[in-house]
Amino acid sequence: MSLTTESLARASSRRPWLTLGIWVLIIVAAGITSSRLLAGALTTDVAFTNQPEAKRAADLVEARFGNPGVTELFIINSPSLTIEDPRFKAEVRALQAEAQELAGDDLKRALTFYDTKDPSMVSPDRHTTLVPVVFKEAEVLADYLPEVRELAQSGPSAGDFRTRSFGAITIEDDFSTIAEEDLATGESFGIIVALIVLVIVFGAVVAGILPIAIAIGAIAVATGVTALVGQLTDFSFFVTNMISMMGLAVGIDYSLFIVSRYREERQRGRHKQDAIAAAGATASRAVFFSGMTVVLALVGMLILPTTIFRSLAAGAIFVVVAAVVASLTLLPALLGLLGDRVNSLRILRRKPAAGTEESHLFWDRITHAVMRRPVASLLVAAGLLIAASVSYFDMDTGFSGVSTLPDETRSKQAFEVLATEFTGGLNSPVETVVDGDVGAPEVRAAIERFQGLLADDPMFGPSRVQVSEGGDAALISAPLTADPSSDAATATIERVRESYVPTAFEGVGADVLVGGETAFSKDFFDLAERYTPI
């Protein structure tokens, strides 16, 4: 017997308990896999798979200056004491010692103003200071979260002191927590609304529950596959949102087709098995080709050379395939077990016989109107689609930076202190790396000109220069005065690359690359804009 959607439906419905048992085992295995492996498979990191300028700059910095590590800023404030007070100094030193004890070998350094005498580490009113704690680079930032939390809690917070933490580790934790909470809320709300709509459409509670059960099963399986594949390659933490969103959409949609067709065939008098087979030969076949079309469309996202797009595409593909397979096998098995009980728990009035014109008056009228005027209908529909697509050319793209977080989050509160007392982008400066003989007079002069241009730009705070041990590279770090993910901050990268660098380094024998988090964002948006039309 050839493998077709009809044959799958017949086989699944004839052995419903075996099919259901296999699916239960798969879903349980996926749940265990997800609970144990999913956390380690997800990351907030967004990486390129090609070589834009920001990535080349980061690679050069690491080659000449070593791995920069992961920096978490601890902000210590006292409304009544200044940094000159011995008690203030004692509290700062205690945090520094605690960091060295907690982090152990994972710590690169923990510096204070008392070590460096760097005025940028102290607020103008001298009531607040920064303690940068730099950890060694980690594959998973969350590995350092316990240390960061304990430092923030054990830091000076009693009486006249308050300690806050800000950095990649804290930001990732806040975004992950909010994403998980929003995902749970969205799923609950979406499922409730979908159930209400399906029950109204089918006129029966059991028939309305079936598509949601298929969608939830597909989501569970896709999440398990993601956790498993994630042991080989990291996925963006947004992948769970994509799986839930797409899983509910296609799982409900595909099941709705098949259940509707099955009920119509039963209304026409077909035997249960024949009705399932007829639904398999028609609705299931449409579901299969619809699902494969969706998968092929999602494959287009894989050409974008960034890990976040590839993660979203992979997650969506996993859940669409799972939804298609569940619709072609698990759903016929459930229909085989339920039979006419799929119409149990009826609500509202009794509906006209399914599959008759009286059962779909609204859609029947629309279909006949379109068929009578096909050219006019085509022009109207195409015109509406073209009008909707115009929004693509005026789309506002960007990352959800720390300024978009709720006010009660730790990162947002710490960022506001940094923005008010110091510089908002102090933890993620624009980093311009100069590759050449930085000891040469013309290169030194160019660096000074470049720093002067940055100093005249209100978007930048005071810049500093670090020279590599071999004297063959210089790193010019300039903090931003805005959220590094904001549009205003991103616009500075274009200004630096196209104006400041050519002006300062024209005719100088050195290669200059602009990097840092904000430059990374700029390159990401440029790549997305270039590849999305394709």
Side-chain angles (χ1 to χ4, degrees), residues 127-317:
H127 286 279
T128 308
T129 189
L130 304 177
V131 180
V133 175
V134 184
F135 298 93
K136 293 178 181 178
E137 190 70 49
E139 290 186 7
V140 181
L141 286 179
D143 291 346
Y144 291 138
L145 185 59
E147 287 91 338
V148 170
R149 282 179 174 171
E150 188 166 346
L151 280 173
Q153 292 170 0
S154 64
S157 56
D160 290 332
F161 292 95
R162 171 72 186 272
T163 300
R164 297 178 176 89
S165 62
F166 180 82
I169 301 168
T170 305
I171 293 172
E172 178 178 278
D173 181 50
D174 283 340
F175 270 110
S176 299
T177 301
I178 291 172
E180 290 171 2
E181 293 173 352
D182 288 350
L183 179 61
T185 302
E187 284 181 344
S188 303
F189 180 76
I191 289 173
I192 292 171
V193 171
L195 178 59
I196 293 172
V197 171
L198 288 168
V199 169
I200 294 173
V201 168
F202 286 124
V205 174
V206 174
I209 290 175
L210 269 184
I212 291 178
I214 296 299
I216 292 174
I219 291 170
V221 171
T223 304
V225 172
T226 300
L228 199 59
V229 177
Q231 304 312 300
L232 303 176
T233 179
D234 287 337
F235 286 101
S236 165
F237 73 100
F238 287 119
V239 73
T240 54
N241 300 68
M242 174 63 86
I243 288 174
S244 297
M245 177 182 68
M246 289 291 292
L248 285 175
V250 298
I252 290 173
D253 193 32
Y254 296 162
S255 302
L256 177 61
F257 279 134
I258 297 170
V259 173
S260 296
R261 187 56 189 264
Y262 166 76
R263 295 173 81 216
E264 290 178 358
E265 295 297 334
R266 287 292 291 149
Q267 286 286 348
R268 293 190 177 109
R270 283 181 180 262
H271 184 269
K272 180 180 72 173
Q273 292 294 338
D274 292 335
I276 293 173
T282 54
S284 295
R285 187 170 181 270
V287 163
F288 174 78
F289 284 105
S290 173
M292 294 308 99
T293 302
V294 173
V295 168
L296 287 173
L298 290 167
V299 167
M301 293 178 66
L302 298 177
I303 69 170
L304 278 83
T306 60
T307 55
I308 186 169
F309 280 112
R310 296 184 176 185
S311 296
L312 295 177
I317 289 171

Side-chain angles (χ1 to χ4, degrees), residues 473-522:
L475 180 62
I476 307 165
S477 301
L480 290 160
T481 57
D483 181 350
S485 297
S486 65
D487 291 340
T490 304
T492 62
I493 301 301
E494 186 173 357
R495 195 159 60 246
V496 171
R497 286 175 174 172
E498 297 185 4
S499 177
Y500 297 170
V501 168
T503 299
F505 291 92
E506 184 178 6
V508 176
D511 293 328
V512 182
L513 299 171
V514 179
E517 178 184 328
T518 307
F520 182 99
S521 300
K522 168 66 174 168

Side-chain angles (χ1 to χ4, degrees), residues 12-40:
S12 300
S13 61
R14 285 174 177 169
R15 300 174 180 82
W17 288 112
L18 175 62
T19 305
L20 181 60
I22 292 172
W23 269 99
V24 168
L25 289 176
I26 292 173
I27 291 172
V28 169
I32 294 173
T33 302
S34 301
S35 64
R36 295 183 177 181
L37 302 179
L38 185 61

Side-chain angles (χ1 to χ4, degrees), residues 310-352:
R310 296 184 176 185
S311 296
L312 295 177
I317 289 171
F318 293 156
V319 79
V320 169
V321 171
V324 169
V325 175
S327 299
L328 300 186
T329 57
L330 177 58
L331 184 55
L334 292 174
L335 290 175
L337 289 172
L338 290 171
D340 289 339
R341 291 193 298 273
V342 74
N343 297 318
S344 300
L345 303 177
R346 286 186 177 274
I347 65 166
L348 305 177
R349 64 180 176 84
R350 184 175 179 83
K351 290 177 172 263

Side-chain angles (χ1 to χ4, degrees), residues 16 20 25 46 69 78 90 106 110 120-121 214 224 230 322 340 381 420 501 523 533:
L20 181 60
L25 289 176
V46 180
S78 172
D106 289 333
S120 68
M121 298 175 69
I214 296 299
D340 289 339
T420 303
V501 168
D523 289 341

